[in-house]
Amino acid sequence: MKNSIFLMTKTPIHGLIKTRLAKIIGNSGAKKFTLININNVNKILINKKNFDFFIYTTPKKKFRSFSFNFSKNILTQKGKDLGKKIWYLNSIIKNNFVVVGSDIPDINFKHLLNAFELLRSNDIVIGPSFDKGFWLIGFTKKKAINYPFKEVRWGTKHVLEDLTNNFKKSNLKISFCEKLRDIDIFDDYCDYKGRFNNH
């Protein structure tokens, strides 16, 4: 059975994508940044036959206007917050899966492969981010898992701590991937641009 990878993103249109960052770099800059990252993950997974790649987005209808070669694999986000949106996938996917963000420019195939390797002997895999959140989360289907996102303080420095505590209370075996930077604020973006321009 194939492993599934979901790239979670808002549709990259002006005024919708990366709104905090767009206030500083503009809507066009935020859109361009997101499209680069979506294309990067797509390139990483081209011809990788053991993986199914999906875009998990909102609004789905708008996303179809982009000329991506994976446009048939698009799902609409369902749920009121990040936790419920991720958990919806758990209810419909029958195989191991991971969810990644669309603002992780350093992601590569080894990171994704490692996540699924960790799921062979763990219930949950988490990719921690430098802002104390996470850039990846993955679930095994070997056992039933209760809703793990209860009382997570989204948008704060407590996200990873709250989530990890929830998993531990449920006696779930967790493993962590490499820490990567998600680009949410201008300082993150400057760091990304500085490294990108030096390549």
Side-chain angles (χ1 to χ4, degrees), residues 91-103:
S91 71
I92 64 171
I93 301 302
K94 305 303 181 186
N95 51 303
N96 293 353
F97 73 96
V98 302
V99 182
V100 299
S102 62
D103 57 356

Side-chain angles (χ1 to χ4, degrees), residues 99-145:
V99 182
V100 299
S102 62
D103 57 356
I104 320 295
D106 292 329
I107 193 171
N108 59 44
F109 182 64
K110 288 183 179 179
H111 293 130
L112 297 172
L113 188 61
N114 181 53
F116 285 109
E117 289 175 347
L118 291 171
L119 280 177
R120 291 180 182 178
S121 55
N122 293 276
D123 303 313
I124 308 291
V125 62
I126 300 175
S129 56
F130 282 88
D131 61 1
K132 299 185 179 180
F134 58 92
W135 64 270
L136 174 149
I137 189 166
F139 298 87
T140 182
K141 305 300 285 193
K142 294 192 293 285
K143 67 161 66 173
I145 298 174

Side-chain angles (χ1 to χ4, degrees), residues 1-4 47-52 95 113 116:
M1 187 176 290
K2 290 185 177 182
N3 295 310
S4 297
N47 299 324
K48 301 295 191 298
K49 295 181 179 180
N50 291 330
F51 299 89
D52 286 325
N95 51 303
L113 188 61
F116 285 109

